[in-house]
Amino acid sequence: MRVELVTIGDELLLGDTVNGNAAWMGQRLAEHGLEVTRSVVVGDELDVIIAAVEEALERADAVITTGGLGPTYDDLTRDALAKAAGVALVRDPELERRLRERVAAAGHELKPMALRMADVPAGAGVLVNSAGSAAGLRVELAGGVVYALPGVPFEMRTMIDESVLPELAGGSKVARRTLRTAALWESELASDLAPVEAMDGVRLAYLPDPAEVKIRITATGPGAGARLDEAEAAVRELLGDAVYGSGAETLDRVVHRLLAERSATVATAESLTGGLIGAELTRMPGSSATYAGGMVAYATALKEVLLGVPGELLAAHGAVHPDVAGAMASGVRDRLGATYGLAVTGVAGPEAQDGHPVGTIFVAVAGPGTEPRVIRPSLPVPGAGAEIRGVMRRMTVVHALEQLRRVIQGLDVGPGGREARRDGEKPG
């Protein structure tokens, strides 16, 4: 089942509103085995909407539109579908009744213009909107079926789940699953997974974020579910402990689960990330059970005052050094009474600092009974300009959480970086 998306509205076309509907639909439909092959945005013009729908049906089995079903004169989706079908708009008495009851219940007077939402192309199916006023439409055209949904996000999502997916996903022979990795490059993964790429009826997609790559596995045809299980097992065997989770399991959730299983806690000491690791570790409800707290020791002097980093170490090497990172991790662990201490220090950019180039980052994890593990992640420097800083900081957060995961599980450093030399290393 091939589906195309047409999102309608001048506000989307001109950038006044971010097109979150298309992103959500693409993900939701893919979860249910539907192949979304194209997504376009068009403005509030009758002929443009008609052309977009008709062209989409030349390629796809079904089209889903959002927007243009409200009461105003620039809401043209119902008019466009009626013209495309060669039929007139007719007033649906049941929709009119519901509109009148809804408006009366809210204590308002029904405006004549609002009754436009009770007009439907003759012969069209009506999709009940249990979350709002504007009903959806199901219209059969020469090339296939069109599902027209409101543009209000929570209304659209409700109707996708209640009306569209039960019909479209019923006969799907596509199965999908997503695995998550951190601290690996997309090219490395693609090379390692070449044997899976060669499997019949299996397709891999690589979805990169800073320092993370999600691997979406798609299996098609009869027996898609069994083929998907086989492909997932092959991916896990080839990548080993580089796979940290699947589906909606984010890295912070995995870390919290591992800590909770061991009745353990973590405290954070941050320099260049300025509290971003702490923010990530407090995103999940209930995180107070495993996250003790953190210190943002941004100024070099505060690393000594708050975390106990030896002053002579800072005087000799400055803030960007593996021994400083290790001392920060041990210091925050001791001061906050946590099982693990996690620390980062380095240069996020956009310019070099004290002779250290952008991307010189050290991550340290201190645990019970051992010396801190300190690594220097291998980070690609993303171009030039002020935007480097945000990307480098985000990559540092991911590498920090990944190293914490690996230490908790007793794993080695992994492929995302190298263990930093101590005692006077001169990074660069």
Side-chain angles (χ1 to χ4, degrees):
M1 172 66 73
R2 295 163 62 86
V3 181
E4 291 199 14
L5 309 178
V6 178
T7 46
I8 299 165
D10 287 345
E11 71 281 3
L12 302 173
L13 193 63
L14 301 177
D16 296 325
T17 300
V18 175
N19 189 9
N21 281 353
W24 185 90
M25 285 191 293
Q27 183 178 41
R28 192 66 164 173
L29 295 171
E31 289 172 355
H32 287 76
L34 298 166
E35 187 176 6
V36 180
T37 54
R38 189 171 302 199
S39 176
V40 300
V41 181
V42 298
D44 296 311
E45 293 187 42
L46 187 70
D47 291 340
V48 172
I49 297 170
I50 294 171
V53 169
E54 291 180 340
E55 289 169 10
L57 285 176
E58 291 176 2
R59 297 178 295 263
D61 304 299
V63 173
I64 301 174
T65 74
T66 63
L69 293 176
T72 60
Y73 291 123
D74 63 345
D75 290 312
L76 298 171
T77 300
R78 62 176 64 86
D79 305 81
L81 293 178
K83 186 173 180 180
V87 299
L89 284 172
V90 296
R91 182 67 47 88
D92 185 298
E94 179 62 17
L95 285 182
E96 180 178 353
R97 182 188 66 79
R98 289 177 185 170
L99 277 172
R100 292 187 182 279
E101 289 180 353
R102 185 178 181 88
V103 172
H108 294 283
E109 178 185 353
L110 183 70
K111 302 296 183 182
M113 183 177 290
L115 288 175
R116 280 173 47 81
M117 292 189 290
D119 292 339
V120 303
V126 174
L127 305 179
V128 175
N129 182 355
S130 61
S133 299
L137 300 170
R138 184 189 188 281
V139 181
E140 294 277 359
L141 296 179
V145 62
V146 179
Y147 298 88
L149 307 178
V152 180
F154 71 88
E155 296 182 25
M156 176 274 296
R157 295 179 183 187
T158 299
M159 297 176 72
I160 285 281
D161 288 341
E162 292 182 352
S163 299
V164 179
L165 282 175
E167 182 170 328
L168 288 185
S172 175
K173 293 182 179 179
V174 179
R176 288 189 174 89
R177 196 167 297 152
T178 300
L179 301 181
R180 292 173 173 261
T181 69
L184 289 171
W185 291 25
E186 187 178 354
S187 58
E188 294 175 317
L189 289 169
S191 177
D192 291 343
L193 297 179
V196 183
E197 296 270 14
M199 294 174 64
D200 289 338
V202 172
R203 186 170 72 247
L204 301 182
Y206 302 92
L207 313 173
D209 278 325
E212 292 195 63
V213 180
K214 291 184 286 187
I215 305 165
R216 188 174 63 219
I217 311 169
T218 302
T220 59
R227 189 175 291 109
L228 179 64
D229 291 340
E230 181 184 358
E232 179 186 357
V235 171
R236 288 184 178 275
E237 182 178 357
L238 290 166
L239 298 184
D241 55 37
V243 177
Y244 74 76
S246 63
E249 283 186 300
T250 53
L251 193 49
D252 62 300
R253 288 181 174 273
V254 171
V255 165
H256 281 306
R257 174 175 55 77
L258 293 172
L259 290 169
E261 290 171 354
R262 294 159 175 78
S263 299
T265 57
V266 63
T268 54
E270 302 182 58
S271 185
L272 79 153
T273 48
L276 293 177
I277 299 174
E280 191 78 356
L281 285 172
T282 54
R283 184 173 63 164
M284 189 180 82
S287 56
S288 59
T290 53
Y291 180 59
M295 296 183 184
V296 178
Y298 203 70
T300 299
L302 289 182
K303 293 175 175 62
E304 179 179 7
V305 174
L306 295 178
L307 298 169
V309 179
E312 58 271 21
L313 177 61
L314 292 167
H317 301 295
V320 183
H321 191 272
D323 288 345
V324 172
M328 290 170 64
S330 295
V332 78
R333 175 177 178 264
D334 293 341
R335 280 161 169 70
L336 297 188
T339 314
Y340 297 94
L342 175 61
V344 293
T345 186
V347 184
E351 298 174 350
Q353 175 184 325
D354 299 330
H356 302 296
V358 175
T360 305
I361 308 293
F362 295 102
V363 174
V365 182
T370 63
E371 286 291 311
R373 173 191 285 179
V374 184
I375 71 156
R376 182 175 179 180
S378 175
L379 302 180
V381 179
E387 69 275 5
I388 290 177
R389 187 172 180 82
V391 176
M392 297 301 298
R393 278 155 51 104
R394 176 59 196 164
M395 288 194 292
T396 301
V397 171
V398 173
H399 276 271
L401 294 181
E402 172 66 357
Q403 283 307 308
L404 176 59
R405 175 184 79 89
R406 300 188 76 86
V407 169
I408 295 171
Q409 292 185 288
L411 305 173
D412 61 15
V413 170
R418 60 177 175 83
E419 197 151 8
R421 298 189 307 276
R422 313 289 292 282
D423 302 320
E425 176 187 23
K426 298 293 184 182

